[in-house]
Amino acid sequence: MEGSCLCGGVRFEVTEPFVYVGHCHCTFCKKISGGVGTTSGRARTESIVIVEGAELLSSFTPDGGSAKTFCSGCGSNLFGGGWPDVELAPVRLTAIDSEVDAKPEAHTFVRSVAAWEILPEDGLPRYEIRAT
Ligand SMILES: [Zn+2]
Ligand SMILES: [Zn+2]
């Protein structure tokens, strides 16, 4: 799979299928996404290859959370979960330009669903915090 940020400065590849795909509704994901949260595919860090724009990557670690990596040129959120210092890292599906085979499997951190947010009746399991 190929991915990029909004300005195109950062280009990357994910060379293996995602091991999990899910929606996260936590307060951090809301802040960085501009919406109800993030939808990410978890991949082995080794399989995430930065093709272009590594120098544009910037990270922020919120109190009590893991590092979120974004493009410093356009602000697009790209990776989370402490990438690249973890074995498995969430890749934001909004950054993937290829077709993604996997479908989301769960809604996590639904304890943080906003008053203005309506969870879809999609039959997926919902977890107060993490799924696993
Ligand atoms: Zn960018
Ligand atoms: Zn989250």
Side-chain angles (χ1 to χ4, degrees), residues 75-128:
S76 297
N77 192 253
L78 302 172
F79 315 115
W83 180 89
D85 303 318
V86 285
E87 200 188 326
L88 292 168
V91 179
R92 308 307 181 204
L93 292 198
T94 45
I96 300 288
D97 301 313
S98 310
E99 207 158 306
V100 176
D101 288 337
K103 290 273 182 285
E105 295 160 52
H107 293 275
T108 56
F109 284 89
V110 298
R111 69 175 185 186
S112 302
V113 163
W116 43 262
E117 177 182 3
I118 298 166
L119 279 174
E121 293 296 337
D122 54 13
L124 294 180
R126 300 171 179 185
Y127 298 92
E128 283 297 301

Side-chain angles (χ1 to χ4, degrees), residues 27-116:
T27 52
F28 298 150
C29 284
K30 282 186 168 61
K31 286 282 187 193
I32 61 178
S33 72
V36 299
T38 58
T39 302
S40 303
R42 211 176 287 159
R44 290 199 318 132
T45 294
E46 274 179 26
S47 74
I48 302 168
V49 181
I50 306 302
V51 177
E52 218 178 288
E55 72 284 357
L56 291 171
L57 294 174
S58 222
S59 291
F60 175 75
T61 305
D63 277 346
S66 55
K68 325 286 181 205
T69 299
F70 56 94
C71 170
S72 57
C74 66
S76 297
N77 192 253
L78 302 172
F79 315 115
W83 180 89
D85 303 318
V86 285
E87 200 188 326
L88 292 168
V91 179
R92 308 307 181 204
L93 292 198
T94 45
I96 300 288
D97 301 313
S98 310
E99 207 158 306
V100 176
D101 288 337
K103 290 273 182 285
E105 295 160 52
H107 293 275
T108 56
F109 284 89
V110 298
R111 69 175 185 186
S112 302
V113 163
W116 43 262

